[in-house]
Amino acid sequence: MDIIVGIVVVLLIVVVIGTVAGMLIRRTIHKSVDELDNRKNQILNRNISEEISKVKKLKMSGETEQKFESWRKDWDEILESILPSVEEQLIEVEELAGKYRITKAKDQLKWVENRLLSVEQQLDLMVEDIDKLVSAEEKNRSEIAVIKELYQTLSAELLKKRGSFGESIKALDEEMSHAKQALLAFEESTQNGSYLQARKQLLQIKDSLYILNEKMERIPHLLMQVRSTLPGELSNLQLGIKEMEEDGYHLETFSFGSKISMQKEEIDQAYIALKELNVDEAASALESLQTEIDEMYETLEKEANYKSKLLAQVPALKAQVEKAYQNMKQLIDETTQVEKSYMIAAEEIQLQQTLQKNLRNVQSQLTLIMDVFENRKQSFSSIFEMTEEWRKQMEELSSGIEESIDRLKRLRKDEIQAQETVSQLRELVLESKRLLYKSNLPGVPVTYLEALDEAEGNINRAIEGLESFPLEMTEVEALVQDAVRVVEGNSAAIKEMVETAQMAELAIQYSNRYRGQDDAVRKELDEAEQAFLEYDYEKALAIVQEAVQRYEPDLLNKVTKHLSA
């Protein structure tokens, strides 16, 4: 009994679910039917008849009449056959949905949707074609007057200025004849109602006349260049080249003759292009020719400038070589003189040999430059380049010679400086000795005496270095620097020691007034005197200061002021 109840419950659930699902699907189908019906109504409400009626304003013949009949026929078919069929299909879909024939209902919906889409696209294309046709007629009507006026203007221009177009006139007449035939064809297409075809024809006529107008504006100027300007420039150029060659210019390097021959051929080709109305081709060729001719004139001008520069500079080149030889002689003489006292580095000797070799080379190069210049064996521009390169080498060589001379002079200058420094050091040592002698000190610490001996030893070694042969200045300079370091350091130390001793002596004398004040003070003063007698002047001064600190806290300043007074 429980099993039967369960089965019944399941069946009821299935039925309920099926019923609900069916209701939802039917609702979806009804919604789709409503949407498609709205699309059908939108098609019915489109002003297609009004769009088609626009064509009636045009000349109803030929292409226009055929299109008008075709569009009207298509619209009638849509209204009388296609849309009623669509409506019937939608009714049938609702009936199928009511009978739960869902699959077939969906198939019918798909067919209706595709059919409506096809009609919509057909109508969109129809409206677009109508607009094109009507627009073409309007544009043709508004533009033809301007085009005809341009044609008349060009015709009058050709008649008025035929001579300025030269042999291009034949091709221009042919172009105008073609334009006239095209205008007649346009009129014929318009009369036949073929407005779209007439539109294409009119655009082609417009382009061709504007292009022809531009060519007619450019041809006279280009013909002037071909007939007169460029040939005249080439003739003047040839004459100038001939005169310069007679005046001694070497111009074979530039191959002007072959270039001018080629340029004359290019002018002839440009003329042929103009006769055939290939204006852009001719203009480009003539522009290139003008650039080449300008460059040739520029080359001749540079040659003239280089000649002037060379005439002004060549004499100075000889003077530079002569000066270099004088400097080289001075260098050799200086070297000979310096070798008597100094050891010259092998690198320096090698450098001088290289300088002598380079001097001979620049002399040979100058001879070559003078030969090609005086005998006109090369273009002046190439000779000028040779001269500039030679000048750079000459500057480097002269600089090398002068630097070598300076280095030799510096050797002797360094020797003199070293001698003066040694002399000053000897005087400084003597001054230190005089200071010790005048100070009347009871004695000098051994370290200071040893320092004086060390200073004199360094000075003597530096003197020996200066008196050696050959003189090695690098070693001498090192010895002199050692001497400077030791002598100046010891001199300063001795001076400081003497000043300390004087201060200690005066401080002891000044502090003796307090000897009877205190046994401790007396004892410390005795110690200070003993340190002074043992040459320990720093210790003596320190003991005195400590001994009378409570009586004379400013003792050191008083002593210092007294000594400096």
Short mmCIF file of all heavy atoms in Angstrom, two decimals, residues 48-67:
data_model
loop_
_atom_site.label_atom_id
_atom_site.label_comp_id
_atom_site.label_asym_id
_atom_site.label_seq_id
_atom_site.Cartn_x
_atom_site.Cartn_y
_atom_site.Cartn_z
N ILE A 48 7.98 53.51 -46.83
CA ILE A 48 8.66 53.04 -48.04
C ILE A 48 8.01 53.65 -49.29
O ILE A 48 8.69 54.04 -50.24
CB ILE A 48 8.63 51.51 -48.11
CG1 ILE A 48 9.34 50.91 -46.87
CG2 ILE A 48 9.28 51.02 -49.38
CD1 ILE A 48 10.78 51.32 -46.74
N SER A 49 6.71 53.74 -49.28
CA SER A 49 6.00 54.30 -50.44
C SER A 49 6.45 55.74 -50.67
O SER A 49 6.64 56.17 -51.82
CB SER A 49 4.48 54.24 -50.20
OG SER A 49 4.06 52.90 -50.12
N GLU A 50 6.61 56.46 -49.57
CA GLU A 50 7.07 57.85 -49.69
C GLU A 50 8.49 57.91 -50.25
O GLU A 50 8.82 58.78 -51.07
CB GLU A 50 7.01 58.53 -48.32
CG GLU A 50 7.39 60.00 -48.36
CD GLU A 50 7.28 60.66 -47.00
OE1 GLU A 50 6.64 60.06 -46.10
OE2 GLU A 50 7.84 61.77 -46.84
N GLU A 51 9.36 56.97 -49.79
CA GLU A 51 10.73 56.93 -50.30
C GLU A 51 10.73 56.64 -51.80
O GLU A 51 11.46 57.28 -52.56
CB GLU A 51 11.53 55.85 -49.56
CG GLU A 51 11.80 56.14 -48.09
CD GLU A 51 12.77 57.29 -47.90
OE1 GLU A 51 13.62 57.52 -48.80
OE2 GLU A 51 12.67 57.99 -46.88
N ILE A 52 9.91 55.68 -52.20
CA ILE A 52 9.85 55.32 -53.63
C ILE A 52 9.30 56.48 -54.45
O ILE A 52 9.74 56.73 -55.59
CB ILE A 52 8.98 54.05 -53.83
CG1 ILE A 52 9.64 52.85 -53.14
CG2 ILE A 52 8.78 53.76 -55.31
CD1 ILE A 52 8.81 51.58 -53.15
N SER A 53 8.39 57.23 -53.86
CA SER A 53 7.78 58.34 -54.60
C SER A 53 8.78 59.45 -54.92
O SER A 53 8.56 60.26 -55.81
CB SER A 53 6.60 58.91 -53.80
OG SER A 53 7.07 59.52 -52.61
N LYS A 54 9.91 59.49 -54.16
CA LYS A 54 10.95 60.49 -54.45
C LYS A 54 11.50 60.32 -55.85
O LYS A 54 11.91 61.29 -56.50
CB LYS A 54 12.09 60.37 -53.44
CG LYS A 54 11.73 60.78 -52.03
CD LYS A 54 12.91 60.58 -51.10
CE LYS A 54 12.58 60.94 -49.66
NZ LYS A 54 13.74 60.71 -48.75
N VAL A 55 11.49 59.08 -56.32
CA VAL A 55 12.05 58.77 -57.64
C VAL A 55 11.19 59.36 -58.73
O VAL A 55 11.67 59.68 -59.83
CB VAL A 55 12.21 57.25 -57.80
CG1 VAL A 55 12.83 56.90 -59.14
CG2 VAL A 55 13.06 56.69 -56.66
N LYS A 56 9.89 59.53 -58.44
CA LYS A 56 8.98 60.06 -59.46
C LYS A 56 9.37 61.47 -59.90
O LYS A 56 9.02 61.90 -60.99
CB LYS A 56 7.55 60.07 -58.92
CG LYS A 56 6.95 58.68 -58.75
CD LYS A 56 5.51 58.79 -58.25
CE LYS A 56 4.88 57.41 -58.09
NZ LYS A 56 3.47 57.51 -57.62
N LYS A 57 10.09 62.18 -59.02
CA LYS A 57 10.50 63.54 -59.36
C LYS A 57 11.60 63.55 -60.41
O LYS A 57 11.88 64.59 -61.01
CB LYS A 57 11.00 64.26 -58.10
CG LYS A 57 9.95 64.40 -57.01
CD LYS A 57 10.52 65.05 -55.78
CE LYS A 57 9.49 65.12 -54.66
NZ LYS A 57 10.06 65.75 -53.43
N LEU A 58 12.22 62.39 -60.60
CA LEU A 58 13.30 62.30 -61.57
C LEU A 58 12.72 61.98 -62.94
O LEU A 58 11.53 61.68 -63.10
CB LEU A 58 14.30 61.22 -61.15
CG LEU A 58 14.85 61.32 -59.72
CD1 LEU A 58 15.81 60.17 -59.46
CD2 LEU A 58 15.55 62.66 -59.51
N LYS A 59 13.61 62.02 -63.95
CA LYS A 59 13.18 61.67 -65.30
C LYS A 59 12.95 60.17 -65.36
O LYS A 59 13.88 59.38 -65.21
CB LYS A 59 14.23 62.09 -66.33
CG LYS A 59 13.77 61.95 -67.76
CD LYS A 59 14.82 62.51 -68.70
CE LYS A 59 14.35 62.45 -70.13
NZ LYS A 59 13.16 63.24 -70.38
N MET A 60 11.70 59.76 -65.57
CA MET A 60 11.33 58.34 -65.51
C MET A 60 11.63 57.68 -66.86
O MET A 60 10.74 57.54 -67.72
CB MET A 60 9.86 58.20 -65.13
CG MET A 60 9.52 58.75 -63.76
SD MET A 60 10.45 57.90 -62.45
CE MET A 60 9.70 56.28 -62.57
N SER A 61 12.87 57.31 -67.00
CA SER A 61 13.26 56.57 -68.21
C SER A 61 14.51 55.78 -67.89
O SER A 61 15.22 56.05 -66.91
CB SER A 61 13.52 57.54 -69.37
OG SER A 61 14.59 58.42 -69.06
N GLY A 62 14.77 54.79 -68.74
CA GLY A 62 15.99 54.01 -68.61
C GLY A 62 16.16 53.37 -67.25
O GLY A 62 15.25 52.74 -66.70
N GLU A 63 17.34 53.54 -66.71
CA GLU A 63 17.72 52.91 -65.43
C GLU A 63 16.78 53.34 -64.31
O GLU A 63 16.38 52.52 -63.48
CB GLU A 63 19.17 53.29 -65.10
CG GLU A 63 19.68 52.69 -63.80
CD GLU A 63 21.06 53.18 -63.46
OE1 GLU A 63 21.40 54.33 -63.83
OE2 GLU A 63 21.81 52.42 -62.82
N THR A 64 16.46 54.62 -64.24
CA THR A 64 15.60 55.13 -63.16
C THR A 64 14.22 54.48 -63.20
O THR A 64 13.69 54.05 -62.17
CB THR A 64 15.46 56.65 -63.28
OG1 THR A 64 16.77 57.24 -63.20
CG2 THR A 64 14.59 57.20 -62.16
N GLU A 65 13.65 54.37 -64.40
CA GLU A 65 12.33 53.76 -64.53
C GLU A 65 12.37 52.30 -64.13
O GLU A 65 11.46 51.79 -63.45
CB GLU A 65 11.83 53.91 -65.97
CG GLU A 65 10.39 53.43 -66.16
CD GLU A 65 9.88 53.67 -67.56
OE1 GLU A 65 10.70 54.04 -68.44
OE2 GLU A 65 8.68 53.49 -67.80
N GLN A 66 13.44 51.61 -64.55
CA GLN A 66 13.55 50.18 -64.21
C GLN A 66 13.65 50.00 -62.69
O GLN A 66 12.99 49.12 -62.12
CB GLN A 66 14.79 49.60 -64.89
CG GLN A 66 14.69 49.54 -66.41
CD GLN A 66 15.99 49.09 -67.04
OE1 GLN A 66 16.95 48.76 -66.36
NE2 GLN A 66 16.02 49.07 -68.38
N LYS A 67 14.47 50.82 -62.05
CA LYS A 67 14.63 50.70 -60.60
C LYS A 67 13.32 51.03 -59.88
O LYS A 67 12.95 50.37 -58.90
CB LYS A 67 15.76 51.61 -60.11
CG LYS A 67 17.15 51.14 -60.48
CD LYS A 67 18.23 52.06 -59.91
CE LYS A 67 19.61 51.51 -60.22
NZ LYS A 67 19.87 50.26 -59.49
#
